[in-house]
Structures are given as structure tokens and as C-alpha cells.
Amino acid sequence: SVLTQPPSASGTPGQRVTISCSGSSSSIGSNIVNWFQQLPGTTPKLLIHSNNQRPSGVPDRFSGSKSGTSASLAISGLQSEDEADYYCAAWDASLKAYVFGSGTKVTVL
Amino acid sequence: EVQLVESGGGLVQPGGSLRLSCAASGFTFYSDWMSWVRQAPGKGLEWVANIKEDGSEKNYVDSVKGRFTISRDNAKNSLYLQMNSLRADDTAVYYCVRSIGGGKSAWGQGTLVTVSS
């Protein structure tokens, strides 16, 4: 994948978990980042848009940030229902393609 | 309520063709970029193609260039993906997505395409 994410992350209920997403100057460095959540057996859902904006209905324990060519998603106060795959994504101006990270599986211990 | 309903998936032999459709409702279809995204069994998400509001601009992932064609009919609120010369590695669930890069992003339930002899 053009965007690099760790394959897995985990935490106990109530902990804070952070997922990194590394890109390039032509992707994250010059375009907004979105984050998608895919719960087991379901369709992906928009979690964070425009680097750090939560759509209506997304709990405020989810937050996004971006700096340079990297972005991150933080889940504070981890809950069992947060077990899912998380994908970062951004437009890549050099590839003229929308690129996804490889996904990070979050496990609640 | 925004709804995106894909159809047209199925089993096809290598080298064959399929045309996917996506019926959109609940939003102003002609005002949004639309995309197709696929997910192979047990794998991550892969963007396939997108198309501008009026159809004047289209982009594709390298692996489908020359084989797939995205199109839309704003009068019918519909998005299409014509897939030719299908290969085994095209096997995936194909999702129709509204405004993938923005805050209005919405996804359909997907349609499964299986390429196998």
C-alpha cells in the first residue's frame, strides 16, 4: 500500500490506542486524510474526514490529526465495540489515485 | 436517507465481462464525485476508479486501466462499472461510494464478483 499502517494494535477497555499512517508529499503531504472503520462483517464507514473532523454520530473518543506526511487516529477510552479494522486514505496527486493504508486491526483485550 | 444499492455481481470466467450498477437515492447524485472500491476476500480496501460530477473526468488504479470503465447517468441517479478481461485477482466485493474523499462519504453494501473457471 502507498500508505503505511501497523497491521495491529490493541488495548484494554478504557485505554488510549493510536494508529499511525505514513504517506508521502504527494498523498498525505498535500491532501486531506480520511479514516474509515470496518466492523467485522460490515461495510466500511467514514470515521474521520478532513484530517480531524468527525461526522455526525461518531463518538468524540475518536480523533484524527495530521502532520507533514503522516496522520494518526486516536481512540481514547477504548470500548469492546471498537474492535474493527481501521483504514487511512488520501488522494495521491502523483498517482492520480485515491490510496488506502493496508489497515490496522484493533483488538480490545 | 442516503442509499447506494449495487447489483450485477456474480461468477464469471477469466477473460469475461461484467457490468456493475449502483442505484443512488437520498442525495443530489449529480453534485458528487462517485467511486468504486473493492475488497478481496480477507484483504484490505482498494480504490478502483472515480468519476467527476458531470462525468468529464475519470481516474483509475493502474491495475484496471484499459480493462475497466466507470460511467454515470445523472438522469437515472446511477453509477456503473464495465469490467472486461477479468482476471482471478479481480475477485472481490465491489462497493459503490459517494464522495469518498469528503465528509459526505457513504458506502453501499457491495456486490461480490468472483472470477473463476
Side-chain angles (χ1 to χ4, degrees):
Chain A
S1 297
V2 175
L3 304 182
T4 301
Q5 296 179 237
S8 63
S10 62
T12 57
Q15 276 191 329
R16 176 183 172 92
V17 170
T18 301
I19 300 168
S20 62
C21 176
S22 176
S24 66
S25 58
S26 61
S27 58
I28 292 177
S30 51
N31 293 287
I32 61 171
V33 177
N34 279 9
W35 289 88
F36 298 91
Q37 178 193 57
Q38 188 173 29
L39 296 168
T42 70
T43 296
K45 165 192 145 182
L46 180 65
L47 191 67
I48 296 287
H49 70 90
S50 304
N51 305 325
N52 56 16
Q53 302 299 303
R54 283 186 309 276
S56 173
V58 173
D60 60 6
R61 64 177 183 275
F62 293 95
S63 63
S65 63
K66 182 181 115 170
S67 178
T69 59
S70 294
S72 63
L73 173 72
I75 311 173
S76 56
L78 191 65
Q79 299 185 8
S80 58
E81 58 260 39
D82 298 333
E83 278 207 342
D85 293 320
Y86 294 84
Y87 297 89
C88 60
W91 180 256
D92 189 303
S94 291
L95 297 175
K96 286 195 174 180
Y98 196 72
V99 292
F100 284 95
S102 49
T104 298
K105 184 176 184 61
V106 169
T107 301
V108 181
L109 301 172
Chain B
E1 180 193 1
V2 173
Q3 282 202 319
L4 297 164
V5 181
E6 301 94 337
S7 60
L11 175 64
V12 61
Q13 292 190 337
S17 298
L18 274 180
R19 187 193 195 211
L20 305 184
S21 299
C22 171
S25 62
F27 66 101
T28 309
F29 180 74
Y30 59 80
S31 295
D32 287 316
W33 281 76
M34 296 294 296
S35 293
W36 288 99
V37 173
R38 67 184 179 184
Q39 187 170 33
K43 302 298 185 183
L45 302 173
E46 180 183 41
W47 172 86
V48 174
N50 67 0
I51 184 168
K52 197 175 179 179
E53 297 93 329
D54 61 359
S56 62
E57 184 177 339
K58 306 173 185 181
N59 299 287
Y60 300 90
V61 68
D62 282 349
S63 59
V64 309
K65 284 179 181 175
R67 300 189 300 124
F68 291 11
T69 302
I70 189 171
S71 62
R72 64 192 297 162
D73 185 335
N74 287 343
K76 295 183 178 180
N77 286 350
S78 293
L79 178 72
Y80 306 100
L81 186 68
Q82 177 66 43
M83 304 186 295
N84 299 329
S85 303
L86 283 161
R87 311 184 306 216
D89 62 358
D90 294 318
T91 294
V93 174
Y94 284 73
Y95 296 102
C96 169
V97 185
R98 172 197 183 194
S99 187
I100 193 170
K104 299 180 293 182
S105 178
W107 297 57
Q109 289 302 303
T111 185
L112 176 63
V113 172
T114 303
V115 184
S116 175
S117 55

